[in-house]
Amino acid sequence: MVSPPITVIEAELLEEGDFCFDFPHFCTLLHCAEGEAVQLVHYGVIRPEGSGPQHWRFRSLDLYRARLSRRLSRDLEIDMAGAALAVDLLERLRGFQP
């Protein structure tokens, strides 16, 4: 009898508001090029702490917003500015303000 494959999921519990990802790690988790992450910052989708990419620190909320923005951009075929606006509007509808 063949056993089904085992899927290993690795997770890290984060406190809301904690700054825990540096720029390279954030891009790895987001599965995107650094240039795309810079665009997300430029359009206000994410708001890292720090003076520039080499000093940026990201929160878990930034990862959520970036993933949502990229998904909206892909699924609705809208540009990054439109996706940024959509993320902000969705958060307002849900009653959440970072």
Side-chain angles (χ1 to χ4, degrees):
M1 182 172 169
V2 177
S3 299
I6 297 173
T7 303
V8 177
I9 299 174
E10 194 173 317
E12 181 179 347
L13 183 60
L14 305 170
E15 294 293 324
E16 186 177 330
D18 282 353
F19 288 89
C20 50
F21 307 118
D22 62 9
F23 188 52
H25 189 203
F26 183 80
C27 291
T28 299
L29 291 171
L30 194 55
H31 304 290
C32 76
E34 290 183 358
E36 187 176 351
V38 170
Q39 280 189 327
L40 291 169
V41 173
H42 174 75
Y43 285 108
V45 174
I46 52 179
R47 298 168 189 91
E49 186 77 22
S51 59
Q54 61 272 32
H55 301 288
W56 280 344
R57 302 288 295 164
F58 298 90
R59 300 170 294 160
S60 55
L61 178 61
D62 294 318
L63 187 59
Y64 164 78
R65 287 177 57 90
R67 286 179 173 164
L68 178 58
S69 176
R70 292 180 74 218
R71 190 170 53 247
L72 289 169
S73 180
R74 182 193 65 228
D75 294 350
L76 301 178
E77 298 178 2
I78 55 178
D79 63 10
M80 194 61 64
L85 176 62
V87 169
D88 286 341
L89 292 173
L90 284 170
E91 287 183 348
R92 285 185 187 177
L93 287 172
R94 291 180 180 155
F96 176 75
Q97 287 294 329

